[in-house]
Amino acid sequence: MRNTCFKTPINSYWVTKYFMSKPPIRIAITGAAGQIGYSLLFRIASGAAFGPDQPVILHLIEIPDEKAMAALNGVCMELDDCAFPLLKGLVPTSNLDEGFKGVNWALLVGAVPRKAGMERKDLLGINGKIFTGQGNAIAKNAASDIRVLVVGNPCNTNSLIAANNAPGVPKNRFFAMTALDENRAKTQLAQKASVDVTAVTNLAIWGNHSATMYPDFFNTKINGRPVPEVISHREWLEKDFIATVQQRGAAIIKARGLSSAASAANAACNTVYKLTHPTPAGDWFSVGVHSDGSYGIEKGLIFSYPIRSNGKDFEIVQGVPLNDFSKAKIAATEAELKEEKSLVGDLLPK
């Protein structure tokens, strides 16, 4: 383990109060030297994900490749050079058993991106094998309170694969990130209504983190009022708004030539923070979770719902009204997830 300590003079009382009151937790991040991983690690080490009073030990996992491990060593050097008070150690490795040993959280970021000419079935098959191995390693090595957030796409089905290959780990410990879609949707609504993004609450992403996901504007509020009351342009809401959010990732790739790494890392931090801290009264947030059949969704899918947390456990918000338009959109994204599940059926132990 690499030892990390802070060297900047800080009031000792402040250090004791905020950094020494909790024991460090262990966080595993796969693809740690990749674009998203690089953007994510410094946020976690600074307290953006688990809070400003939670020390962390980072387990940085990369593929067993000389170039990748050299890059990971450089990332560790940078983390050391930041002298983060909350960062209590680094475990850089390409060994899954070592990488997941004793970890309390695993952020599965690394995944093979879709390439030209590659069918979705091919991508699911390639990444499925990666997440099968990671699920096994998590079950074998992680701490008893392990929770797993899958960021690598297609994250819902990758999460499903990992969960089904982690015997002994409850399925409700596995999550798929849809906070990036939620953040994108909130910004689009705030800009359209000429309000600050903090005025937008109760925005749920339903379903898959894909071009079928549904940003539910009907139940979203702007300064406490339903969005359709604030934004009267119904055609924009039902067409342009949804399409913009669904296609935002592709638009960013077209604009910068690379995928959205920094905003994805930010969304991962948002997700972890919201799952580990109480949800503000009356609000909810979005994350893919193991479906219990709520809202008629097939049990066992990793499906994004409106979620509330008490800081330790989460619940699917019940009783959210859905009109025919919303039901049709939700049915479409559920159908896609069912199809993805069928394509990786051989990776899901019976």
Side-chain angles (χ1 to χ4, degrees):
M1 181 188 298
R2 300 166 66 104
N3 292 321
T4 300
C5 63
F6 54 86
K7 300 170 185 176
T8 304
I10 304 175
N11 181 280
S12 60
Y13 170 78
W14 189 77
V15 170
T16 301
K17 180 178 179 181
Y18 289 98
F19 297 143
M20 305 303 178
S21 59
K22 292 183 178 180
I25 58 175
R26 293 180 178 269
I27 318 299
I29 302 97
T30 66
Q35 284 195 74
I36 297 175
Y38 184 79
S39 297
L40 178 60
L41 297 177
F42 300 88
R43 299 288 304 279
I44 294 175
S46 68
F50 294 92
D53 62 343
Q54 179 58 68
V56 296
I57 297 170
L58 300 183
H59 290 226
L60 311 181
I61 305 173
E62 260 300 344
I63 59 174
D65 171 85
E66 185 177 349
K67 185 176 180 180
M69 291 306 294
L72 183 60
N73 185 56
V75 172
C76 290
M77 293 167 68
E78 284 202 79
L79 283 165
D80 283 341
D81 292 349
C82 289
F84 288 115
L86 290 172
L87 183 56
K88 301 306 178 187
L90 297 173
V91 183
T93 183
S94 61
N95 182 284
L96 292 182
D97 289 334
E98 181 182 16
F100 291 118
K101 186 173 180 60
V103 299
N104 309 101
W105 270 87
L107 278 60
L108 307 186
V109 177
V112 175
R114 189 169 180 171
K115 300 174 183 176
M118 184 183 289
E119 298 293 332
R120 185 171 54 164
K121 181 178 181 180
D122 300 327
L123 182 64
L124 286 165
I126 293 169
N127 279 325
K129 293 180 176 64
I130 295 172
F131 287 86
T132 296
Q134 291 178 355
N136 287 330
I138 286 168
K140 179 182 175 183
N141 297 285
S144 60
D145 64 347
I146 180 65
R147 284 190 274 182
V148 181
L149 174 64
V150 178
V151 177
N153 286 319
C155 64
N156 291 62
T157 297
N158 286 341
S159 182
L160 178 73
I161 293 168
N164 280 274
N165 284 278
V169 181
K171 298 291 194 299
N172 65 2
R173 302 280 187 83
F174 287 81
F175 307 91
M177 189 181 80
T178 56
L180 181 54
D181 306 308
E182 179 184 338
N183 289 343
R184 288 167 170 169
K186 283 184 173 180
T187 298
Q188 292 300 313
L189 292 173
Q191 291 177 350
K192 186 69 172 179
S194 299
V195 298
D196 190 86
V197 72
T198 57
V200 184
T201 62
N202 300 90
L203 197 157
I205 300 296
W206 296 83
N208 199 7
H209 173 60
S210 74
T212 68
M213 63 85 194
Y214 173 52
D216 179 7
F217 62 86
F218 286 104
N219 290 294
T220 303
K221 297 177 181 178
I222 295 177
N223 288 320
R225 296 172 58 201
V227 162
E229 291 184 8
V230 179
I231 301 173
S232 59
H233 195 333
R234 188 65 166 265
E235 184 178 3
W236 179 85
L237 288 168
E238 293 186 357
K239 294 181 180 179
D240 293 351
F241 163 66
I242 293 176
T244 296
V245 178
Q246 290 176 336
Q247 300 296 329
R248 188 68 166 184
I252 290 171
I253 291 174
K254 182 178 179 180
R256 69 184 293 260
L258 295 168
S259 62
S260 47
S263 55
N266 176 69
C269 289
N270 293 161
T271 303
V272 169
Y273 189 89
K274 289 177 180 179
L275 285 168
T276 55
H277 293 79
T279 306
D283 202 358
W284 55 66
F285 62 96
S286 309
V287 65
V289 300
H290 185 261
S291 172
D292 61 359
S294 291
Y295 297 93
I297 302 303
E298 180 179 301
K299 291 183 178 180
L301 293 177
I302 300 293
F303 195 89
S304 184
Y305 286 102
I307 299 294
R308 287 197 186 107
S309 171
N310 63 9
K312 295 182 178 180
D313 300 311
F314 73 90
E315 64 177 4
I316 297 171
V317 179
Q318 301 297 323
V320 176
L322 300 173
N323 58 21
D324 289 342
F325 180 90
S326 296
K327 288 177 181 178
K329 294 293 185 182
I330 291 170
T333 195
E334 180 190 14
E336 183 181 54
L337 282 170
K338 288 180 179 179
E339 181 187 4
E340 289 185 8
K341 181 181 178 180
S342 70
L343 292 173
V344 299
D346 59 329
L347 300 176
L348 305 177
K350 300 296 186 289

